[in-house]
Amino acid sequence: MIRVLLAEDQGMMRGALALLLGMEEDIEVVAQVAAGDEIVPAALTARPDVALLDIELPGRSGLDAAADLRVRCPGCRVLILTTFGRPGYLRRAMEAGAAGFLVKDGPVEELAAAVRRVLAGEKVIDPALAAAALGAGPNPLTARERDVLNAAADGATVADVAARVSLSESTVRNHLSSVIGKTGTRNRMEALRAARRQGWL
Amino acid sequence: MIRVLLAEDQGMMRGALALLLGMEEDIEVVAQVAAGDEIVPAALTARPDVALLDIELPGRSGLDAAADLRVRCPGCRVLILTTFGRPGYLRRAMEAGAAGFLVKDGPVEELAAAVRRVLAGEKVIDPALAAAALGAGPNPLTARERDVLNAAADGATVADVAARVSLSESTVRNHLSSVIGKTGTRNRMEALRAARRQGWL
DNA sequence: CCCCGGGCATGACATTTGTCCTGCCCGGGT
DNA sequence: ACCCGGGCAGGACAAATGTCATGCCCGGGG
């Protein structure tokens, strides 16, 4: 019996996946969580063999939780299941020690198969996605630049961002100008979209 | 046997829902589509009793398709199934003649139940959402303002937008200024977020 | 008939944004 | 000891953005 933990915020999706997986003879869903910060605690009590994690979750990113599971719950394989096949997401997933990376497109049949393959020690990665991730190179943004970009993501003005991250307005503008340069875009809005598309968040 | 058409772009979600609904004794999924512009053709050949439609679909909005089904396929009830419980979406769904409006949170069990209730002639709407939709009032944006805002949604400059919608730059700025005013925001980015949140798109 | 809202357009203006240059501090490599 | 990348900040400048007043045209309603 393969013990599976399921982390997914959309109730209907989570319920449907749980039912589907539960229908397989050799799979058992031993825990379901809807938030990122519930993943590690649930894994510690439920002791799953495979953790099926969404990335965009309330509370905490599935990728962060994956990195934690690596040390807090060794022997528990991580399979990332996400809407977006962003190169940066795949890269971060691999760095976090994930054993597989699935996108929510693609047929349902893939899911149970991927769970079994991951448990068998295989890596499960879409080859096309892998190529894209390798070709795109690593995240060129510095931590500070990501902070500032995130703080500006909701349309905040320079002054707002400066207040949020406790920086001078000049510095904020310098950082923003820098990410605009690195993304090859013309303004923060385009830069934001570009960074998101790459999974640089 | 209730004949159901399923329109949902995410492969895994679509597959999972189809399997779940198919498991009900009285429900049969007679068509599955992944794009908005496939809905009406599929409905015309498959003759479903209930059309379960996502809103955000490639090709065409599920809401537009719903309005079309009203005339092209009368007797076919529409049940909207969407990620976002935006007031404006619900309002538009009702105006398009939908019989129900479900959000993808909430338990899976709701789904089959909603299909049956819709077929029985009931309206299926979350009361809290209905209250929000009524309280929010109608969409204050004019058609042109929506066009311009959409054209600016990807970070395009005023010049870009003007070219896209064939307007003078001055007019574009006037329209943008107007939506900023109507949304009570400070710039186009905030205005965009506000409009999206309301479902005014 | 007149008024009003909507679309379109200009020009003027203040503010914000993005760029560039300079400078300082720090820590890690060579 | 030296350099370099990163973070931080200031100033100066050009370009983009947002506001406002004005004007014109149209169609629908009172």
Side-chain angles (χ1 to χ4, degrees), chain B residues 38-78:
Chain B
E38 296 168 15
I39 293 176
V40 173
L44 289 178
T45 67
R47 297 264 141 217
D49 301 308
V50 176
L52 195 55
L53 308 184
D54 195 0
I55 293 185
E56 274 125 4
L57 288 171
R60 189 158 184 239
S61 156
L63 290 173
D64 295 343
D68 244 34
L69 285 181
R70 199 93 212 110
V71 298
R72 304 276 297 275
C73 189
C76 166
R77 314 250 176 194
V78 171

Side-chain angles (χ1 to χ4, degrees), chain B residues 142-145 166-168 170-171 173-175:
Chain B
T142 69
R144 248 336 189 213
E145 285 165 353
S166 307
L167 283 177
S168 110
S170 312
T171 308
R173 280 148 64 134
N174 287 338
H175 282 310

Side-chain angles (χ1 to χ4, degrees), chain A residues 157-158 173-174 177 180 187-188:
Chain A
T157 67
V158 171
R173 280 146 68 128
N174 287 338
S177 186
I180 290 170
N187 53 50
R188 55 182 83 176

